[in-house]
Amino acid sequence: MMASRRYAPSLDRLLRLYSRNYRNLSRLLARARRVNGEVAQYRWQHAQQALILQLTVNEQTRYTEVVTVERLAPPLPLVAPARIEIRLYHDALMAEVLTGQHFLRLLPAYPYPNARMQQRDEKFQVNLFLAELLEQFAHREWQLISAREESR
């Protein structure tokens, strides 16, 4: 019988993912700020689906920024709306998922199995989800809703 190996997170893979998320989220915020100016919330609507995502800038300091990404519409039956909070580190050029609707803090690794059924590499998986979500905004199906359009 072979002993199970303890999971060791790949710091190199995680840091590359943080850098990728920073690049994509910074581009998205820069694009939104060019259109709507410096405001706390930016909304994006999908062209073919009734789907709205909102980016909210919760905190800005010289070296960091905390942003929340959440799904606003339409609500899904029996499913809590997707919501994640991300910290951008401007000095390190990295963005890390801090919290979400099902977790308040992510550990680098989890024992498996565990009571909450988190994957051993849950922190990596959640940040990978953010990377895939941010890459969707590069497609033309997403349109920034300006504050003027929302007030109509």
Side-chain angles (χ1 to χ4, degrees):
M1 178 189 258
M2 196 158 112
S4 68
R5 291 179 27 170
R6 184 169 179 243
Y7 170 74
S10 169
L11 188 57
D12 185 49
R13 281 180 64 209
L14 192 58
L15 292 177
R16 278 196 316 265
L17 190 55
Y18 287 172
S19 294
R20 181 171 138 196
N21 286 344
Y22 180 85
R23 258 189 333 274
N24 289 337
L25 191 53
S26 293
R27 275 190 212 128
L28 188 63
L29 284 169
R31 184 173 152 200
R33 287 173 174 145
R34 273 194 309 275
V35 173
N36 284 352
E38 287 286 333
V39 294
Q41 293 181 335
Y42 304 98
R43 290 188 178 176
W44 298 81
Q45 185 169 10
H46 196 275
Q48 280 94 32
Q49 299 174 24
L51 180 60
I52 296 174
L53 293 178
Q54 178 172 283
L55 277 70
T56 305
V57 179
N58 300 319
E59 172 187 313
Q60 281 184 298
T61 67
R62 184 174 179 180
Y63 298 107
T64 65
E65 199 166 2
V66 177
V67 175
T68 301
V69 177
E70 62 187 311
R71 179 187 174 134
L72 293 183
L76 297 173
L78 306 174
V79 177
R83 183 178 197 276
I84 51 177
E85 191 173 70
I86 305 115
R87 175 166 284 133
L88 288 89
Y89 300 95
H90 298 302
D91 53 346
L93 304 178
M94 293 184 194
E96 171 187 24
V97 174
L98 299 177
T99 64
Q101 72 261 31
H102 299 298
F103 55 89
L104 294 175
R105 190 177 134 236
L106 287 167
L107 299 175
Y110 291 89
Y112 193 81
N114 57 62
R116 298 192 69 197
M117 293 306 296
Q118 292 162 309
Q119 298 296 313
R120 289 180 177 184
D121 64 344
E122 190 81 13
K123 185 172 192 127
F124 182 82
Q125 295 295 329
V126 169
N127 281 280
L128 183 60
F129 169 77
L130 174 62
E132 292 171 354
L133 176 66
L134 292 173
E135 286 175 6
Q136 293 301 308
F137 284 100
H139 302 288
R140 299 211 184 277
E141 292 89 29
W142 287 98
Q143 299 160 349
L144 187 63
I145 302 171
S146 75
R148 289 177 297 280
E149 289 176 35
E150 286 182 39
S151 62
R152 288 184 195 169

